[in-house]
Amino acid sequence: MPLDLPDAHAAVTIRDCFIRVRGDSETLVQPLSPEDCMIQSMEEASPAKWNLAHTSWFFETFILKPHAPAYRPYHDDFSYLFNSYYNQIGDRHPRADRGLLSRPSLENVMAYRRHVTEAVVHLTDTGNREILEKIAPLLIMGCAHEQQHQELLLTDLQHGLYQNPLLPAVYEWPGDVKDSAPALAWRQMEGGVCDIGWNGDGFAFDNEEPRHKVYLHPFELANRAVTNAEFMEFMEDGGYEEPKHWLSDAWDAVNAEGWRAPQYWRKADDGWRQYTLFGERPVNPDAPVCHISFYEADAYASWAGARLPTEFEWEAAASLFPLEGRFLENGKLKSPAPAAGDARLLQLFGDVWEWTASPYVAYPGYAPPAGAVGEYNGKFMSGQMVLKGGSCATPAGHVRVSYRNFFPPSARWQFSGFRLARDCT
């Protein structure tokens, strides 16, 4: 991840980005109580307090300790408490027990954040050119890492508060989007040899490299994501009761978990409702279906006589359009909304992450970076599926057309949806 630093202005720009990202995280937790920030409802989720501390640990571990000789850690035990999965760094607190960390307090964690933020800013202000050149790529990566945890903070918090029978609202509802979803239409893509992966402009994670060529057969892609109303038709047609549309592992999950609707949905007297960080809301039939696993997306596609696009098909199509969509901007959480506009393909970015049919594996020629930072992505290239495009909880400017999100196929607590594809006949 090389970065040119022609003059001091570049360092100031990175510094300002760092300060903004740190502030955005703190804005997200302003409405939360200390008790809210301790919730861990499942092993895959983390408390908000832990997310706030871990992102500070990242900057402390990879920037301050190696590159700021005068830096003194805030607390020696925090290296153990807030390491996530970096085996080369050392031992760590068990992931499933993060919700048991009543100490340090939220107040202490916020003090830790201030300590790290001030030290990083001081380093960018006083470091010589050699130091700035070394830390610049790590600082940019750390900002991207914290933006990932901003989205995780929200999705983990939503899952945790959903366990509360009061179904509390955290944020003020911003108002309904009145758009109606356009009719489903198919857009033919010619296929052929396509360039896939990061194009070398700006920052990207290592798993987006190297750029390489793939051959795509002609295919058709739906003009928008599948809506709640369309997914209801699948449910009403017995989609969750009919095994023929489900992969073997998926059918096992349906029965083991008792899935009968998307995550957070509840059938009420007045129709379907879903829990959001704004509290429980009526399901908007025109909005993209959300909190869907890969298994459910794949089963729906089978039921609809279609399939999911590969990540390469999705990326080739999305590369023809501007990177515009509904994201998490200026600290204001948005909710998935109906597709709007007249482009040939809509809603490619923002609203919901879109499951693809592609397993999360390395691109040809991929090699993880040396050292502990190489554990960031490569070690997870097993048992996961790729999602593309970002969501309403993704910070604006965080995603790229080459961005590869990944989760296990059973994951539902993310803002995940899908669109359909099919082969040209």
Side-chain angles (χ1 to χ4, degrees):
M1 291 168 282
L3 181 74
D4 292 331
L5 289 174
D7 52 41
H9 178 71
V12 171
T13 301
I14 298 169
R15 170 188 183 274
D16 293 346
C17 176
F18 167 77
I19 293 172
R20 176 181 57 78
V21 168
R22 298 289 281 174
D24 288 346
S25 298
E26 289 152 23
T27 297
L28 290 177
V29 300
Q30 282 180 356
L32 305 183
S33 68
E35 292 82 3
D36 291 332
C37 292
M38 268 198 66
I39 298 171
Q40 183 182 19
S41 51
M42 59 178 175
E43 182 174 352
E44 293 83 357
S46 297
K49 185 171 72 174
W50 188 92
N51 279 298
L52 292 169
H54 167 70
T55 49
S56 301
W57 171 93
F58 188 95
F59 290 110
E60 182 178 65
T61 299
F62 293 109
I63 293 178
L64 294 173
K65 288 182 177 179
H67 301 292
Y71 176 74
R72 295 295 177 264
Y74 183 82
H75 196 294
D76 291 339
D77 290 339
F78 283 13
S79 180
Y80 170 81
L81 290 178
F82 302 121
N83 181 3
S84 55
Y85 50 70
Y86 293 88
N87 295 314
Q88 296 180 56
I89 298 298
D91 292 336
R92 58 195 182 277
H93 187 70
R95 178 173 183 171
D97 295 340
R98 291 171 183 170
L100 302 178
L101 296 174
S102 61
R103 306 290 178 89
S105 66
L106 178 61
E107 181 181 12
N108 208 345
V109 165
M110 298 308 287
Y112 175 43
R113 285 184 63 84
R114 290 192 295 273
H115 177 83
V116 169
T117 298
E118 290 169 2
V120 171
V121 170
H122 178 74
L123 183 59
T124 62
D125 288 345
T126 61
N128 58 36
R129 181 180 178 86
E130 181 181 0
I131 291 295
L132 293 178
E133 287 179 340
K134 286 181 179 179
I135 70 169
L138 293 168
L139 192 55
I140 295 173
M141 180 179 180
C143 289
H145 169 258
E146 180 143 351
Q147 288 180 318
Q148 287 181 321
H149 277 271
Q150 290 167 1
E151 183 161 2
L152 287 170
L153 187 156
L154 293 171
T155 55
D156 295 355
L157 179 67
Q158 181 180 2
H159 191 273
L161 292 178
Y162 180 62
Q163 316 310 313
N164 187 325
L166 301 179
L167 298 177
V170 176
Y171 302 99
E172 183 179 351
W173 177 244
D176 291 310
V177 176
K178 303 299 185 181
D179 296 325
S180 297
L184 181 69
W186 294 95
R187 307 304 184 192
Q188 184 168 341
M189 309 302 294
E190 294 181 358
V193 177
C194 301
D195 291 314
I196 296 295
W198 180 49
N199 64 8
D201 295 330
F203 170 79
F205 288 112
D206 59 86
N207 65 351
E208 300 171 52
E209 301 180 74
R211 192 165 175 84
H212 61 288
K213 295 185 182 298
V214 299
Y215 179 80
L216 301 178
H217 292 278
F219 65 99
E220 292 182 318
L221 197 62
N223 62 324
R224 55 160 174 79
V226 170
T227 66
N228 287 319
E230 289 165 340
F231 200 83
M232 287 179 197
E233 294 178 14
F234 168 73
M235 294 161 55
E236 293 165 358
D237 195 42
Y240 281 98
E241 288 81 42
E242 176 54 70
K244 70 179 181 180
H245 298 303
W246 296 83
L247 298 169
S248 178
D249 288 349
W251 186 242
D252 290 344
V254 167
N255 290 285
E257 302 296 331
W259 294 346
R260 290 298 181 268
Q263 180 101 1
Y264 307 130
W265 282 32
R266 177 179 69 89
K267 187 66 176 291
D269 292 341
D270 58 350
W272 284 100
R273 301 178 67 82
Q274 67 182 134
Y275 178 68
T276 74
L277 286 169
F278 307 110
E280 193 174 61
R281 307 288 309 174
V283 170
N284 182 343
D286 289 298
V289 67
C290 191
H291 302 297
I292 287 289
S293 68
F294 167 81
Y295 288 150
E296 291 162 291
D298 179 77
Y300 178 96
S302 173
W303 172 82
R307 60 175 176 83
L308 300 180
T310 68
E311 67 167 310
F312 310 120
E313 290 172 333
W314 189 100
E315 185 171 328
S319 67
L320 303 175
F321 295 87
L323 207 164
E324 300 172 349
R326 287 178 283 244
F327 298 103
L328 175 66
E329 298 183 57
N330 303 320
K332 182 179 179 182
L333 181 69
K334 296 185 177 180
S335 186
D342 56 4
R344 292 180 61 245
L345 293 176
L346 304 169
Q347 221 166 27
L348 287 160
F349 302 101
D351 283 311
V352 291
W353 287 100
E354 297 187 12
W355 287 107
T356 73
S358 296
Y360 177 55
V361 295
Y363 285 164
Y366 169 80
V373 75
E375 296 187 59
Y376 197 103
N377 284 310
K379 66 191 289 182
F380 298 109
M381 291 177 175
S382 174
Q384 319 245 18
M385 303 300 291
V386 174
L387 302 95
K388 303 285 284 186
S391 80
C392 60
T394 305
H398 178 68
V399 295
R400 297 162 293 283
V401 69
S402 61
Y403 194 108
R404 307 176 77 201
N405 199 358
F406 54 92
F407 279 99
S410 60
R412 309 174 88 208
W413 87 105
Q414 296 299 312
F415 287 91
S416 50
F418 63 102
R419 79 177 59 220
L420 298 176
R422 64 187 184 185
D423 300 323
C424 289
T425 55

